[in-house]
Amino acid sequence: MAQRQLTTEDIYGSDPFAWVALKTLGATPVTLGLFFLLTSVLYALILPFFWGYPLTVNGNDFIYMFLVFPVAGFFYAYQPTRIITTYESVMRFLRDEEQGHIIHFEKIIRRHNSRVLWIIGLLFGLMGAWFGVTYSAEHFGEYWYSTNWFQIIFVHLMRLLAFYCIGVTVARHIATSIELNHLFESADFPLTLDADRLDVFRSVKNFALEFVGVAALIALNLGVQPLIIDPPILEYSIYVALYFIVAPFSFFLPIWEAHQRMVHIKKEILDRLHHDYQEESQRLYGEIHRDGNTSTEYLHVSEKLLQLDKMIETVSKALVWPFEGTTVYRLAATVISPFILVLFELSINIVSNILAGT
């Protein structure tokens, strides 16, 4: 009987926007990214000219409209395929194991079919649109995005859709991570000194890092806002706090159960080796004190002790995380990267104040 295969429709679940845009209209990652790019050109450049406003789009607006929104649309459409690839890598590993794991496809499909996933996206989209509409209404007629109600509704409808895509991708990532952890619960991982040698570890690690990289690109606007404008404190603080919580959490969540299993397996092996070492050392002690024994008669026991000692040393070096230590530095650098310019300016100001005071 043919193995059950997950499809992109399984990952779309009950997400209405995915079914309309990706399934019915057949949008690809590139076309959805271009959709957000072209609508940005329309409402930020063409319509303001039509309304009689000069080009006043600042650097932060450009990052939002020509980087953040297209990237959000692209990744929203691309993510289901990446999720399936990661699931397939894990399932292939589990099927290759001798225990014969039962993979509950129905449970995975139910998880992705949950309305909670797209409702999270909708709430995030509504929050982003609400902040935008409220600010535009307070400055009605002052800026290109608040020149009239048609412009306000159009601009923030696109903002709602873009933020919806961001919220759904986060929810999908969390749902996938939970199911990956369930799949790893009873897996027996081989001890390794190089996590990238095992395809399943490499696949899940790349899945997590890829998401963090996209999150960092989307967060770039947060990093440059203080350098260009005075951002609304409440809205800005919410987005920055969410980013620094979600980005690191999204990396460790999909690999957490794999880590737990690796710790358990390593501990079991070390416990057994230490037990055998103690038994052999006790036997050696007895051989040494037995009357009439010579060194050649207990040499075999001492060799076994040496072998066990080497095995204990080797196993102790085995990894308990499914990634190399340098991955943590890559993660930290990626998460912080959107705020490098702000941190650089802050450092210069601190040094300048110190020098001015001397």
Side-chain angles (χ1 to χ4, degrees):
M1 187 174 66
Q3 291 284 354
R4 171 73 164 88
Q5 296 291 325
L6 291 172
T7 65
T8 52
E9 287 81 2
D10 294 328
I11 307 303
Y12 297 161
S14 58
D15 177 4
F17 185 61
W19 281 97
V20 172
L22 306 182
K23 182 63 177 176
T24 304
L25 299 179
T28 65
V30 172
T31 55
L32 196 59
L34 284 174
F35 167 76
F36 280 106
L37 185 63
L38 293 176
T39 53
S40 295
V41 170
L42 176 61
Y43 67 67
L45 303 178
I46 297 175
L47 283 180
F49 178 80
F50 179 78
W51 305 129
Y53 277 74
L55 180 62
T56 56
V57 176
N58 60 40
N60 183 63
D61 293 330
F62 267 105
I63 291 175
Y64 250 124
M65 297 178 296
F66 301 110
L67 176 66
V68 173
F69 291 176
V71 167
F74 178 92
F75 192 69
Y76 172 83
Y78 163 79
Q79 190 189 35
T81 303
R82 188 67 180 88
I83 289 172
I84 290 174
T85 303
T86 306
Y87 275 135
E88 287 176 346
S89 176
V90 175
M91 291 171 183
R92 187 164 56 248
F93 169 79
L94 295 178
R95 279 195 285 262
D96 288 342
E97 287 192 296
E98 293 181 0
Q99 291 103 326
H101 290 265
I102 298 174
I103 298 171
H104 299 283
F105 288 92
E106 294 75 15
K107 185 173 177 294
I108 295 173
I109 293 170
R110 282 199 306 272
R111 176 77 64 183
H112 286 280
N113 196 50
S114 173
R115 291 187 179 89
V116 173
L117 303 187
W118 66 265
I119 289 175
I120 289 173
L122 180 61
L123 292 175
F124 191 66
L126 289 172
M127 180 181 72
W130 171 255
F131 280 128
V133 169
T134 302
Y135 185 82
S136 296
E138 291 174 355
H139 299 273
F140 188 82
E142 293 182 33
Y143 308 113
W144 62 266
Y145 49 81
S146 62
T147 181
N148 53 53
W149 279 108
F150 175 84
Q151 180 77 351
I152 291 173
I153 292 171
F154 184 35
V155 168
H156 295 294
L157 177 61
M158 293 301 104
R159 182 181 172 95
L160 185 152
L161 283 178
F163 276 54
Y164 175 89
C165 290
I166 294 171
V168 171
T169 56
V170 172
R172 279 187 197 149
H173 184 85
I174 293 173
T176 305
S177 300
I178 291 171
E179 288 307 313
L180 289 175
N181 282 318
H182 288 162
L183 290 172
F184 286 143
E185 279 177 350
S186 56
D188 286 339
F189 297 111
L191 295 179
T192 180
L193 299 175
D194 183 0
D196 283 338
R197 295 286 182 181
L198 199 60
D199 178 69
V200 65
F201 286 167
R202 185 170 60 252
S203 178
V204 176
K205 180 196 74 174
N206 290 340
F207 167 74
L209 277 177
E210 192 174 80
F211 182 86
V212 175
V214 172
L217 274 176
I218 291 174
L220 184 61
N221 73 93
L222 298 176
V224 301
Q225 272 189 41
L227 304 176
I228 301 173
I229 61 172
D230 292 325
I233 295 301
L234 177 60
E235 182 181 4
Y236 184 77
S237 301
I238 290 174
Y239 293 149
V240 170
L242 284 174
Y243 170 72
F244 277 106
I245 292 171
V246 170
F249 178 75
S250 64
F251 174 78
F252 287 103
L253 182 60
I255 60 176
W256 180 252
E257 190 58 37
H259 160 66
Q260 294 291 87
R261 286 295 298 160
M262 292 171 76
V263 169
H264 177 74
I265 291 166
K266 180 176 179 178
K267 182 179 181 301
E268 274 194 336
I269 295 175
L270 283 175
D271 286 346
R272 182 62 188 175
L273 288 173
H274 280 292
H275 178 268
D276 292 345
Y277 188 92
Q278 291 166 3
E279 295 237 327
E280 290 300 325
S281 65
Q282 187 67 29
R283 185 185 304 176
L284 178 61
Y285 182 80
E287 293 290 340
I288 291 174
H289 289 83
R290 187 176 300 167
D291 292 339
N293 275 2
T294 62
S295 59
T296 56
E297 292 171 329
Y298 59 76
L299 183 60
H300 178 67
V301 180
S302 62
E303 287 177 349
K304 289 185 69 175
L305 278 174
L306 286 172
Q307 291 175 354
L308 285 168
D309 181 65
K310 289 180 180 178
M311 290 176 68
I312 290 171
E313 183 181 356
T314 301
V315 172
S316 297
K317 294 178 182 177
L319 299 177
V320 293
W321 286 96
F323 55 80
E324 302 296 322
T326 54
T327 302
V328 177
Y329 300 112
R330 288 173 58 192
L331 172 66
T334 302
V335 172
I336 295 172
S337 60
F339 297 88
I340 288 295
L341 292 177
V342 172
L343 294 174
F344 182 69
E345 184 183 53
L346 183 62
S347 300
I348 291 177
N349 290 338
I350 292 173
V351 172
S352 299
N353 291 335
I354 292 173
L355 294 176
T358 58

